[in-house]
Amino acid sequence: ITGSATDAMLLLLACSRARPPLAPAASPLRASAPQMVFGPKLPPEVAVVLRPAYEGAARGGEPFVVGTEAELRAIWSAMLKVYGNEADARLAVARNQQVILPYINSPAVITGAHRALLQKFGAEDAAKIIRQNPGILACDPAALAATPSRDIESA
C-alpha cells in the first residue's frame, strides 16, 4: 500500500469510528395519532430510506427501519445547510446515501464536520471537498480537525 492509500485508509477508519450513539428503537411507521413533522420536505430519493429494509414484514417479520421521519428531516436540513442548495445536496445523497442514514449520522456530525473543513480549507475548498466526497460529512468533527489536510484532500 502506498503512502497516500494508507493515509486514505486511516482517514476512513477514523470516520468509521465517529458514529453517533445509536438512537433508541425506531417508532412504528404509522403512529396511532397524527404527528407534526417539521423541517424541509424530503425529496423522493431521500425519503426512500424510510422504507422498511425487510420486505417480509407483511408476513409477520420485523422490519428494519433506519430512523424516523423527524430524524431524516433534521439530517436533510443539515445537508441543505452545508451544501447551500437542494441540487447539490441531492447529488451528494446520490453519491453516498450513508450520510443521510440516522443510524450512521446526525445533523451535529454533518455541521461539525463541515465547520472543521471550513476552518481547515476555507469556504471554496471545503465546498469542493464535500462535493467530491460527501461521506466526509459522516466523520467525527474533532478527528477531522486533527487529520492532516493532505489526507483529507486525497481521501
Side-chain angles (χ1 to χ4, degrees), residues 66-78:
V66 300
T68 66
E69 184 175 350
E71 290 171 320
L72 191 56
R73 282 180 184 268
I75 288 173
W76 179 242
S77 181

Side-chain angles (χ1 to χ4, degrees), residues 34-122:
Q35 295 180 356
M36 295 286 292
V37 179
F38 298 98
K41 182 177 182 205
L42 297 174
E45 63 270 28
V46 173
V48 72
V49 302
L50 290 177
R51 187 179 58 214
Y54 177 59
E55 297 296 332
R59 296 185 304 273
E62 288 293 321
F64 173 73
V65 180
V66 300
T68 66
E69 184 175 350
E71 290 171 320
L72 191 56
R73 282 180 184 268
I75 288 173
W76 179 242
S77 181
M79 292 291 286
L80 291 173
K81 180 179 179 180
V82 301
Y83 280 97
N85 65 70
E86 187 171 328
D88 285 344
R90 283 179 180 231
L91 285 173
V93 169
R95 290 190 71 151
N96 187 339
Q97 194 179 52
Q98 290 183 348
V99 295
I100 62 163
L101 298 175
Y103 67 95
I104 292 176
N105 211 356
S106 72
V109 171
I110 292 168
T111 56
H114 185 247
R115 189 170 32 260
L117 292 170
L118 287 172
Q119 290 172 351
K120 196 174 272 286
F121 296 102

